[in-house]
Amino acid sequence: MLVATFGALLRFDRLGTPKAIVFDETYYAKDALSLITYGVERTFLGTSENPIADQRLMAGRRDLWATCAPDNLDPCASYVAHPPLGKWLIGVGEWLWGADPFGWRFAAAVLGSLSILLVARVARRMTRSTLLGCLAGLLLALDGLHFVLSRAALLDVFLMFWVLAGFGCLVVDRDRARERLARWYEGSSLSGAGPWLGVRPWRIGAGVCLGAAVATKWSGVFFLVAFAVMSLVWDAGARRAVGLRRPFAGALRRDVPTALAGLGLVPVVVYVASWAGWFATPYGYGRNWAQATSSGWSYWVFSSVRSWIDYQIQVLGYHTGLDQSHPYQSWPWQWPLLLRPVAFHYVGGAETCGAPSCAQAVLGVGTPVIWYGALIALIGLIAWYVATRDWRAGAVLLAYAVGWLPWFYYAIADKRTMFLFYMAPMLPFMAIALALGAGLLIGRASPQSSRRVLGAAVVGSFTLLALINFWWLYPVITAEDIPYDDWHRRMFFPSWI
């Protein structure tokens, strides 16, 4: 709780600064406001060259959207590229606090702070160490990219949160399933398939969370599929551990049906439910409301579903064809090395900070000490998994690979436009990888304590370096008004500029 509170204080301090619409907030802040006003995203006024809606929003006005005749709503319908759940969450902050920078960043700060608590709890459960759990949470709190995304109305922090929550639910489900198998083993004779392990509410919870991830961004489906397979492999491993003769057949027979419900049907229900506003109103893109409502309820149902599916197919085509160049785009093989971050906000000026030239910036970049340390830790986890088949190393490596490797296909095959902050779902697993690596360095308690003292000194020094590195970056990730020379000194690579 102390670590999570520390991270929350960092994220909520000056949350409304900069008092501007930064980067893709120009889409999501207005779409969120439209959702809580009309139930769907509507077309807002202006263009990128003449952002009328942005100007009105910053002035506190609500007349941001195009107006349409009652018999022709198509010009008002906005074609959106992402599902609505993340924008609904942003809209909740606007509903609570108002449509201003603090309001539209509020939900991101809340879930970003909660993710620090979650990663600490997940790492603690995986390692059975409060120290290592708190270390994982602290490192996530000190990561620059996580910090920036927790203070901006973009979708990626919500995707990260739901992926982490789904993973955490499955880790708890793994423990619960093994406890049930252990109790069954003590009172029953061994058989080929073993017992049915019940409804498994934690697996259903994972389905809800991973469905919410997909309902935030479609890339959540990679984690949904991978984590479902991982959970079934854990089931088979548990059955083999108690000595069942056919563990994989038992998992297929006893566990797959409930897994299909919890990690198949539940996510679909959550995803469709996130589109409730589109189904309930006539303003959505591709919505044939007038035609459907005039033809009876059965036609309304089938016609609405068909229109909705057509819309999903159009969005899929949009994502696979998104290849427009952008000055801050980067490729997946550049991401772990932080070679091209995203400037969310930059304003230069003269003598506003007491110097001849000043800068105010929000640079979407990770803390280099943490990222380069995580890269070493992940390589170490590969060796650890090959040598021991430890499930914790395998789970973290799988989560990282699923969040990273698919983008190589889109980069090579489609030349798709992509950015460093697509790494957001992997950030918690980088922190857990560092905690696992710290546990290996410190070692188990033993009479020979010199190894533990040395390991603790290395881990403590690394943590202190991460804190200093974050403090050094802080002015350029929080839009502090500083001399230009101070800003320039914090650019780790020329490509950061």
Side-chain angles (χ1 to χ4, degrees), residues 388-407:
T388 66
R389 294 296 190 271
D390 190 284
W391 71 272
R392 296 166 294 185
V396 171
L397 289 170
L398 175 68
Y400 189 90
V402 167
W404 186 40
L405 296 181
W407 295 109

Side-chain angles (χ1 to χ4, degrees), residues 128 137-138 402 479:
R128 299 299 191 266
L138 179 62
V402 167

Side-chain angles (χ1 to χ4, degrees), residues 275-365:
W275 290 85
W278 186 91
F279 285 103
T281 69
Y283 301 111
Y285 182 87
R287 192 75 178 93
N288 60 344
W289 179 275
Q291 178 186 0
T293 53
S294 64
S295 304
W297 73 268
S298 60
Y299 182 86
W300 184 88
V301 171
F302 291 109
S303 177
S304 297
V305 170
R306 186 182 69 247
S307 298
W308 179 76
I309 292 174
D310 287 343
Y311 188 9
Q312 308 304 302
I313 294 172
Q314 290 183 50
V315 172
L316 178 62
Y318 168 84
H319 284 295
T320 56
L322 185 61
D323 57 1
Q324 184 178 359
S325 63
H326 192 283
Y328 294 112
Q329 72 181 58
S330 56
W331 302 113
W333 47 88
Q334 298 175 306
W335 296 345
L337 300 177
L338 293 173
L339 295 183
R340 186 55 173 162
V342 176
F344 281 55
H345 174 77
Y346 181 87
V347 175
E351 299 182 357
T352 58
C353 60
S357 181
C358 302
Q360 186 186 81
V362 176
L363 185 67
V365 67

Side-chain angles (χ1 to χ4, degrees), residues 377-392:
L378 288 163
I379 294 171
L381 289 190
I382 294 173
W384 186 27
Y385 183 74
V386 170
T388 66
R389 294 296 190 271
D390 190 284
W391 71 272
R392 296 166 294 185

Side-chain angles (χ1 to χ4, degrees), residues 31-316:
D31 283 345
L33 187 59
S34 180
L35 279 169
I36 64 172
T37 304
Y38 300 103
V40 293
E41 302 93 337
R42 298 186 65 178
T43 302
F44 41 80
L45 299 171
T47 63
S48 58
E49 294 78 18
N50 186 23
I52 299 173
D54 284 8
Q55 296 162 5
R56 292 184 177 183
L57 183 60
M58 289 305 300
R61 295 172 59 177
R62 296 294 186 100
D63 51 340
L64 313 179
W65 296 281
T67 55
C68 298
D71 58 344
N72 183 20
L73 297 175
D74 287 345
C76 289
S78 177
Y79 177 81
V80 292
H82 295 295
L85 181 59
K87 290 168 281 187
W88 275 111
L89 293 171
I90 295 170
V92 169
E94 293 178 320
W95 174 68
L96 288 171
W97 302 104
D100 56 27
F102 181 90
W104 62 64
R105 296 169 191 159
F106 176 78
V110 170
L111 267 67
S113 302
L114 288 175
S115 68
I116 297 169
L117 178 62
L118 271 182
V119 80
R121 294 293 302 175
V122 171
R124 184 183 185 277
R125 178 172 285 273
M126 293 175 73
T127 62
R128 299 299 191 266
S129 168
T130 301
L131 172 66
L132 295 179
C134 289
L135 176 64
L138 179 62
L139 292 175
L140 188 64
L142 295 176
D143 179 64
L145 184 60
H146 185 276
F147 177 84
V148 169
L149 292 175
S150 299
R151 293 166 55 87
L154 273 67
L155 302 180
D156 301 86
V157 73
F158 304 111
L159 173 64
M160 177 274 301
F161 175 85
W162 293 118
V163 167
L164 172 61
F167 179 84
C169 286
L170 290 178
V171 171
V172 178
D173 174 72
R174 179 185 183 276
D175 288 349
R176 297 288 184 266
R178 287 177 171 254
E179 290 169 1
R180 292 182 184 180
L181 272 175
R183 289 194 297 268
W184 171 84
Y185 175 81
E186 292 172 355
S188 305
S189 58
L190 290 178
S191 62
W196 178 59
L197 298 178
V199 176
R200 302 177 69 166
W202 283 101
R203 181 176 272 176
I204 294 173
V208 172
C209 293
L210 294 171
V214 180
T216 301
K217 269 192 166 184
W218 276 13
S219 52
V221 76
F222 300 135
F223 294 95
L224 171 61
V225 173
F227 288 175
V229 173
M230 177 184 71
S231 181
L232 290 172
V233 171
W234 284 349
D235 287 345
R239 291 174 181 275
R240 182 172 59 185
V242 299
L244 294 173
R245 291 187 292 273
R246 296 192 297 275
F248 289 95
L252 183 65
R253 179 180 173 185
R254 306 291 194 192
D255 299 323
V256 166
T258 53
L260 288 175
L263 296 174
L265 178 60
V266 170
V268 170
V269 171
V270 171
Y271 180 81
V272 175
S274 72
W275 290 85
W278 186 91
F279 285 103
T281 69
Y283 301 111
Y285 182 87
R287 192 75 178 93
N288 60 344
W289 179 275
Q291 178 186 0
T293 53
S294 64
S295 304
W297 73 268
S298 60
Y299 182 86
W300 184 88
V301 171
F302 291 109
S303 177
S304 297
V305 170
R306 186 182 69 247
S307 298
W308 179 76
I309 292 174
D310 287 343
Y311 188 9
Q312 308 304 302
I313 294 172
Q314 290 183 50
V315 172
L316 178 62

